[in-house]
Amino acid sequence: MDEMLSLSDLQDIVLPAAPSSWPPATGFWILLALLVLLAFSFWRSRRQERQKNAYRRAGLSLLADARTVHEVSVILKRVAPAAWPREVVASLYDTEWAGFLNASCRECNFDADAWQNGAEAPDRILLRNASLWIRKHSGSSTGEASDA
């Protein structure tokens, strides 16, 4: 019985090898796939939004070079068909045009008399309103058209 309990017969405890870090567990691959899908959908939505608002950037660029009140009006008339049907905006002028611009942008306050002096240089208020309208106008009731 003493021989059975002898300490010299004991062997060291053998620990199993540490688990490998490669290949990762299934959860890692699922998480990676979800992150890639999320990044792609974010990139795509930003790209679509940027394309949808390209006409606004072009209008602001043209507005920076406007020298007369008439040029400001022409630029706004060029921007408007991207959000409304051409038939709606093409026939508007003077008071109707100012009313349309004010109705489509809550923050804008165009004066109908501002369009009367077409040859004069635009004042700061007109340029501010035009810039604000280009940036913040809401599209037609059917939604904004693409800038194609």
Side-chain angles (χ1 to χ4, degrees):
M1 178 103 181
D2 285 333
E3 282 186 33
M4 282 180 43
L5 297 176
S6 171
L7 293 175
S8 62
D9 292 336
L10 292 177
Q11 296 181 2
D12 287 336
I13 297 175
V14 178
L15 295 175
S20 172
S21 61
W22 195 261
T26 306
F28 171 82
W29 293 113
I30 292 172
L31 182 62
L32 182 65
L34 287 174
L35 286 174
V36 167
L37 184 63
L38 183 65
F40 176 74
S41 63
F42 177 75
W43 170 79
R44 187 168 176 177
S45 68
R46 294 281 296 170
R47 184 174 161 234
Q48 287 174 342
E49 188 68 26
R50 188 157 170 78
Q51 287 175 343
K52 184 176 121 181
N53 288 318
Y55 76 97
R56 292 180 193 258
R57 288 189 307 279
L60 289 171
S61 175
L62 290 172
L63 189 62
D65 296 332
R67 301 278 185 251
T68 64
V69 172
H70 177 71
E71 287 179 4
V72 172
S73 181
V74 168
I75 291 166
L76 295 177
K77 285 263 189 169
R78 287 180 65 186
V79 170
W84 288 272
R86 188 171 299 277
E87 301 82 35
V88 172
V89 295
S91 63
L92 299 175
Y93 64 96
D94 290 336
T95 307
E96 293 174 340
W97 179 232
F100 170 80
L101 294 172
N102 289 331
S104 59
C105 178
R106 291 183 209 157
E107 299 175 34
C108 297
N109 188 17
F110 287 95
D111 183 14
D113 295 333
W115 310 116
Q116 300 299 324
N117 304 321
E120 290 184 12
D123 63 358
R124 198 173 41 135
I125 295 170
L126 178 62
L127 289 174
R128 185 192 73 74
N129 278 326
S131 174
L132 191 63
W133 185 85
I134 291 172
R135 286 185 283 115
K136 298 195 175 196
H137 69 266
S138 58
S140 65
S141 60
T142 58
E144 291 192 359
S146 68
D147 51 312

